[in-house]
Amino acid sequence: MDILFHDVVIVGAGLAGLRAAVELAGSRDVAVLSKLHPLRSHSGAAQGGISAALGNAEEDTSLWHAYDTVKGSDYLADQRAVQVMCNDAPRAIIELEHLGVPFSRLPNGRIAQRPFGGHTRNFGEAPVQRTCYAADRTGHVCMHTLYEQSLNHGVKFYDEVQVLDLCVTDGTVNGVVAMELRSGRLLLMQARAVMFATGGYGKAWKTTSNAFANTGDGLGIVLNNGFPLQDMEFVQFHPTGLYPLGILITEAARGEGGVLRNGEGERFMERYAPTIKDLAPRDIVSRSIYEELKSGRGAGPGKDHVLLDLTGLGSDIIASRLPEIESFARVYAGIDPSREPVPVLPTCHYAMGGIPTTVNGRVIANAAGDEVPGFWAAGEAACVSVHGANRLGSNSLLDLIVFGRRCGKDIAMWLERAGAAPEVGSGVLERVRDGIDRLLGNRNGEKVPELRADLQRLMMDQVSVFRHEEGLKNAVSELMELQRRSRCLGVSDTSRQFNQELTDAIELQHMVNYSLAVARSALERRESRGAHSREDYPDRNDADFLKHFLCVMDGDGAMRLSERPVDLSLAEHNPVFVPKKRVY
């Protein structure tokens, strides 16, 4: 085993991790671990844009942005965190521009902005052009820019290195254990500060827009170490995944003027959100699509999808503003989107829940709000709760940039005051070695593909857009059985170099554990709120469920729930932020 020392170890090379690294680079010894090459991180797949009330295209304010974010979250977002994010958004965009992000431009030279679902002016009056973009490759260009800046400022990258566990001594996080995929050797990386920016976990569902690497490793490791996850029941299905593959068709397609039509050619969103129609929040649009299908108004021979009609935009607009969407439609569906509608269906897209943190990214240890010394998190793996029960489109990149930077700043201040990290104990190393030896030594055990297929089917059937008591109870029961089976996984490939079967098995064990947290939290939340839609409890219930659920895994694998209050601090001073029925 190799032992390495750094001031800061950041796990994950997406935009949250890179932004924190850029903030710390030059003054601290910063290492970034990624199981991929950094430029393959899933942040690069973000298409439509990044929100900020710049007011370049029309009047806009950060207060309107905060209102839309809180309302879109179905009032479960922590309002101080929302205020921090929305107030910082204009500065963050200008900073990205100065770092080199090539945003699309208006004729007057200012950064271009487009409408996006759920973003409005004057507290819901009408759609507003708030989302800054670079054609439909916004995440891609932001990734390249921050990666170049990280290299330029001396950040040390460990590519194709997979984190396996946290080092925790006397309650303080002081490093990670990882595996170099090329050689299979273990690395003990000691650090004074550790940040998780490990991304989302959509691969637990069969149909998803997530990359194959989005297996939620960070969340599984957090559970294994007795730390909580928050709001795990809220998983967003993007309304327009390319049918039947689930590849993302960005909301920018509707922001540019595309409309959803059912099999009868009707623009059906006028029925569900008469004011902003196709630009309603994603949870509403996804449920509306399924309502059309249940009513027999789907498209195609099986009436099992709807149509995204971009034909009114014209080929020039599509080619200049939505080039990736044009390419996806042609390559994967054999369709020219300027001539015929694109078949779409909701696809598992984004996780609102994750590792609970403060607005400075410090990981929260329990319902009392105590912090875990030496441990930070940001991005989709984290839950600072700016998205609550439902994230608005183009708020995700903003979340990564704003809170990635805040993590970097807070870590720098921590390091100025903190002493040397405590020495890493031998227990974590023994646990990692035992886990790997058990997988490699059980050649006749459960096979990864079969168990993973069972998990993804179960989550898609019972824990997706619509949920109910019987299905969730069944899901919890089946997941506990899958959890038992995952402890019996076997690996037939005993080599150490690029052993994909071994890493798949490790990832799958994490997937089963946090999936149980999702199902258990969804069963407990007996209401419908945001992306969590209970057919047996169709109404939102603020009296009993305006609260966050924390989920901790006991030693036997069972999930124990506790509660945290929702921060309603803006509502104390401004009545527009008081929870009320969402109307679009």
Side-chain angles (χ1 to χ4, degrees), residues 361-442:
R362 297 191 183 190
V363 172
I364 293 170
N366 50 44
D370 298 326
E371 298 170 2
V372 182
F375 196 20
W376 286 257
E380 194 172 350
C383 183
V384 65
S385 200
V386 287
H387 308 306
N390 175 62
R391 175 179 69 79
L392 293 188
S394 74
N395 269 357
S396 58
L397 293 185
L398 180 62
D399 172 10
L400 305 179
I401 296 300
V402 168
F403 293 105
R405 173 178 177 266
R406 291 180 72 89
C407 277
K409 285 186 171 297
D410 195 62
I411 291 170
M413 290 190 293
W414 162 273
L415 293 176
E416 288 177 1
R417 300 190 301 269
E423 187 174 346
V424 174
S426 60
V428 63
L429 303 178
E430 294 172 1
R431 185 168 66 193
V432 168
R433 287 197 180 103
D434 287 348
I436 291 175
D437 290 345
R438 189 162 51 249
L439 290 169
L440 293 175
N442 189 19

Side-chain angles (χ1 to χ4, degrees), residues 58 67 93 103-104 121 176 217 242 280 334 417 446 514:
E58 57 183 306
Y67 168 80
I93 294 295
F103 286 109
S104 297
R121 59 179 171 85
V176 299
D217 305 349
L242 183 64
R417 300 190 301 269
E446 287 271 0
Y514 66 68

Side-chain angles (χ1 to χ4, degrees), residues 500-548:
Q500 187 67 51
E501 190 180 7
L502 174 62
T503 55
D504 283 352
I506 293 169
E507 291 168 347
L508 181 55
Q509 290 175 331
H510 294 319
M511 291 165 69
V512 171
N513 286 338
Y514 66 68
S515 294
L516 180 56
V518 173
R520 180 68 183 83
S521 301
L523 178 61
E524 186 70 19
R525 185 171 290 277
R526 292 175 173 86
E527 64 161 354
S528 289
R529 185 186 297 269
H532 172 69
S533 183
R534 289 283 297 261
E535 292 180 304
D536 46 348
Y537 295 95
D539 298 322
R540 197 180 76 201
N541 181 353
D542 289 338
D544 297 323
F545 292 102
L546 185 58
K547 57 190 175 184
H548 302 295

Side-chain angles (χ1 to χ4, degrees), residues 109-190:
R110 293 189 174 188
I111 294 172
Q113 296 184 274
R114 59 171 43 134
F116 238 71
H119 292 275
T120 69
R121 59 179 171 85
N122 199 25
F123 308 112
E125 185 178 275
V128 70
Q129 299 177 74
R130 181 178 292 147
T131 298
C132 310
Y133 61 94
D136 58 355
R137 300 187 178 104
T138 312
H140 178 84
V141 298
C142 289
M143 280 279 299
H144 277 261
T145 299
L146 289 181
Y147 182 57
E148 290 166 1
Q149 291 288 343
S150 300
L151 292 176
N152 188 47
H153 288 88
V155 173
K156 171 67 175 177
F157 283 91
Y158 293 87
D159 302 345
E160 297 184 328
V161 171
Q162 184 151 358
V163 66
L164 300 177
D165 211 339
L166 272 175
C167 302
V168 185
T169 303
D170 298 329
T172 296
V173 173
N174 56 344
V176 299
V177 179
M179 179 171 61
E180 184 182 69
L181 299 181
R182 181 178 61 183
S183 64
R185 68 189 175 111
L186 295 180
L187 307 176
L188 172 60
M189 308 195 74
Q190 297 190 38

